Amino acid sequence: MLSKVLSSAVLGIDAYIVEVETDIARQMPYFSTVGLPDGAVKESKDRVTAAIKNSGFVFPRGRITVNLAPADVRKEGSAFDLPIAMGILAATGQVPEDRLEDYALLGELSLDGSLRPIKGALSIAVAVQKSGLKGILLPKENAEEAAMAEGLEVYPVVSLSEAVDFMNGFSSTPSFSVNMDEVFAQSSTYSIDFSDVKGQEHAKRAMEVAASGGHNIIMIGPPGSGKTMLARRLPGILPNLTLDEALTTTKIHSVSGLLPPNTALIATRPFRSPHHTISDAGLIGGGHIPRPGEVSLAHHGVLFLDELPEFKRSVLEVLRQPLEDGRVTISRATMSLTYPASFMLAAAMNPCPCGYFSDPNKECTCTPQAIQKYMSRISGPLLDRIDIHIEVPSVKYKELSAKPTGESSEVIRERVNRARKVQIERFRGRRDIFSNARMEAKDIRTFCKIDAQGSELLKMAITKLGLSARAYDRILKVSRTIADLEGVPDIRPEHISEAIQYRSLDRNLWMV
């Protein structure tokens, strides 16, 4: 007795079709699963056995062999429970095989036969839709997410019995659908706003410039000055997330098991803030079967590293590839996976170990050697990839006690969107560049031309203010963004002057 059921599995953030072949032979009772299953897949035999019996179906006596094809790709997770159970029932004639050819089945079974949600439902639904199958059966909790794959019939089921009734034609369960535009609109709101921030006008302006050009930013200031508060509001002023970006972001969070229950789509820019004790694998991704790290979870959003010098140096150094390439490749002996990691880096740090160096209100207790050692924890190559450095001083009582008068995130985002449209038009036809921050040396020479007055101002900044050589290109990039925000085609001296202010860590002020 042989049957075939279609299912799917995730590899990276995409999925592929898996054929679940079940053979039942008249031999001594035994249940084996082949096709490179991991521990969770091997354990499915116990869940499937109990679920079939407790759902009132006949469990066959004999040797049961389940093959997951293609057999040379490792399978993981518990989503194969439902197709394995359905394969056994089809092989014993309790389910007709003809309808199984049109649908993919996924779901984790409880011992009583009820279904539990799975990871990667959106990626799987997209793969099923591309394969030409008619529809997909999966747990009810994953229905909204899977329904984002247009043109695919999604049938939510709550138990093995309901899935069997559907295949036998006893149930007229309608396919589940969602209004994609409506879901996208409802999910694209942010709970926190820039209008909550009191004072710090200089820092808010720098945040707007950073968001407009996609520039990485680092904030330096004493504890309690509002660095984290500013960073958490940065996603709210980034350009509106497109539907394609939202689908990719949702895929990453879904395969990681971080998508909230009954959530169809992540339509806001993600904000990830890992603790400084995070490991290399936690930040970049890894594991025996590679999983996305924080840099991939921050794709199309913001990765915020608070207390930057407290991170291990090895952890910070692995950031260099995703910052440069917008993706990260994780290689293992059995496979190599590439995850997207195009994010905006926002970092915060104290100016010294005690946090009060150059603070007018509190005296710093650190020695010059301690300050220099603290600052040197951030390597030059990493600092080279951060375009904007700003000082965030303590907020005065007068500003704290006053009523909020700042602009809302929506107003700022409108200006950012206008600046990004200029950049999209500028780099039209270039797949590798979508913002000023991504410009290479040849692009800077083409799009960041300055007049004699601007050249003289930049020369003075490099020579008189002690700015480093790496600051030259960064200043030109940021100047280009400031000009785009103003809506003018040429970089003016005032744009260069403002960009120079955003290079705090290059000045002699920090060389104590």
Side-chain angles (χ1 to χ4, degrees), residues 274-413:
H275 192 262
H276 60 76
T277 57
I278 192 171
S279 65
D280 301 19
L283 189 65
I284 293 298
H288 181 61
I289 298 177
R291 281 278 177 263
E294 291 292 334
V295 295
S296 296
L297 293 171
H299 184 58
H300 292 318
V302 176
L303 177 67
F304 178 52
L305 303 182
D306 200 5
E307 305 294 345
L308 186 65
E310 301 299 333
F311 284 79
K312 290 184 291 186
R313 193 179 185 91
S314 61
V315 172
L316 294 179
E317 290 307 305
V318 297
L319 274 176
R320 288 158 61 178
Q321 186 210 352
L323 283 173
E324 196 73 29
D325 302 335
R327 61 182 182 274
V328 59
T329 300
I330 306 169
S331 298
R332 294 292 181 267
T334 56
M335 68 179 67
S336 179
L337 294 177
T338 298
Y339 289 108
S342 180
F343 59 90
M344 182 176 166
L345 175 65
M349 60 179 289
N350 296 331
C352 66
C354 77
Y356 297 105
F357 177 62
S358 75
D359 186 80
N361 302 317
K362 293 188 179 182
E363 184 178 355
C364 176
T365 59
C366 304
T367 64
Q369 292 78 14
I371 297 175
Q372 203 164 27
K373 182 179 179 182
Y374 182 77
M375 300 298 293
S376 66
R377 293 181 185 177
I378 308 171
S379 69
L382 177 61
L383 201 60
D384 191 33
R385 290 163 172 79
I386 301 177
D387 295 344
I388 296 178
H389 315 154
I390 57 167
E391 297 170 53
V392 185
S394 299
V395 183
K396 298 178 181 178
Y397 174 76
K398 182 179 179 181
E399 294 173 330
L400 283 174
S401 59
K403 292 182 179 180
T405 57
E407 294 179 311
S408 68
S409 294
E410 185 177 357
V411 172
I412 300 173
R413 187 167 61 248

Side-chain angles (χ1 to χ4, degrees), residues 364-482:
C364 176
T365 59
C366 304
T367 64
Q369 292 78 14
I371 297 175
Q372 203 164 27
K373 182 179 179 182
Y374 182 77
M375 300 298 293
S376 66
R377 293 181 185 177
I378 308 171
S379 69
L382 177 61
L383 201 60
D384 191 33
R385 290 163 172 79
I386 301 177
D387 295 344
I388 296 178
H389 315 154
I390 57 167
E391 297 170 53
V392 185
S394 299
V395 183
K396 298 178 181 178
Y397 174 76
K398 182 179 179 181
E399 294 173 330
L400 283 174
S401 59
K403 292 182 179 180
T405 57
E407 294 179 311
S408 68
S409 294
E410 185 177 357
V411 172
I412 300 173
R413 187 167 61 248
E414 288 178 2
R415 293 197 296 266
V416 170
N417 279 326
R418 287 198 296 269
R420 282 293 183 101
K421 286 180 182 178
V422 172
Q423 295 165 50
I424 291 172
E425 187 62 34
R426 176 181 298 132
F427 304 122
R428 185 175 295 278
R430 295 279 301 275
R431 291 186 176 183
D432 56 330
I433 298 181
F434 54 87
S435 65
N436 289 335
R438 294 284 181 179
M439 285 192 292
E440 301 291 342
K442 62 179 181 179
D443 302 306
I444 295 173
R445 290 193 298 269
T446 303
F447 301 114
C448 301
K449 295 177 180 178
I450 56 178
D451 57 20
Q453 188 179 355
S455 181
E456 188 62 30
L457 179 61
L458 194 52
K459 177 183 176 182
M460 184 181 67
I462 298 294
T463 57
K464 298 287 183 68
L465 297 181
L467 298 183
S468 66
R470 65 171 171 259
Y472 180 82
D473 285 350
R474 300 298 184 268
I475 290 174
L476 288 177
K477 286 183 181 181
V478 175
S479 299
R480 178 68 270 170
T481 299
I482 296 170

Side-chain angles (χ1 to χ4, degrees), residues 9-83:
V10 174
L11 185 65
I13 65 167
D14 296 314
Y16 60 98
I17 299 298
V18 175
E19 293 184 359
V20 181
E21 300 172 324
T22 305
D23 177 72
I24 303 177
R26 293 184 178 180
Q27 298 178 13
M28 291 292 291
Y30 186 73
F31 197 135
S32 67
T33 306
V34 296
L36 286 183
D38 74 344
V41 180
K42 290 179 180 178
E43 291 174 353
S44 67
K45 61 183 180 182
D46 298 314
R47 294 190 296 270
V48 167
T49 302
I52 289 177
K53 292 178 178 178
N54 292 329
S55 297
F57 301 109
V58 178
F59 189 83
R61 295 181 60 83
R63 183 182 179 89
I64 301 173
T65 303
V66 176
N67 178 47
L68 307 176
D72 59 342
V73 182
R74 190 164 187 82
K75 320 299 187 307
E76 61 170 342
S78 54
F80 293 110
D81 289 2
L82 180 59

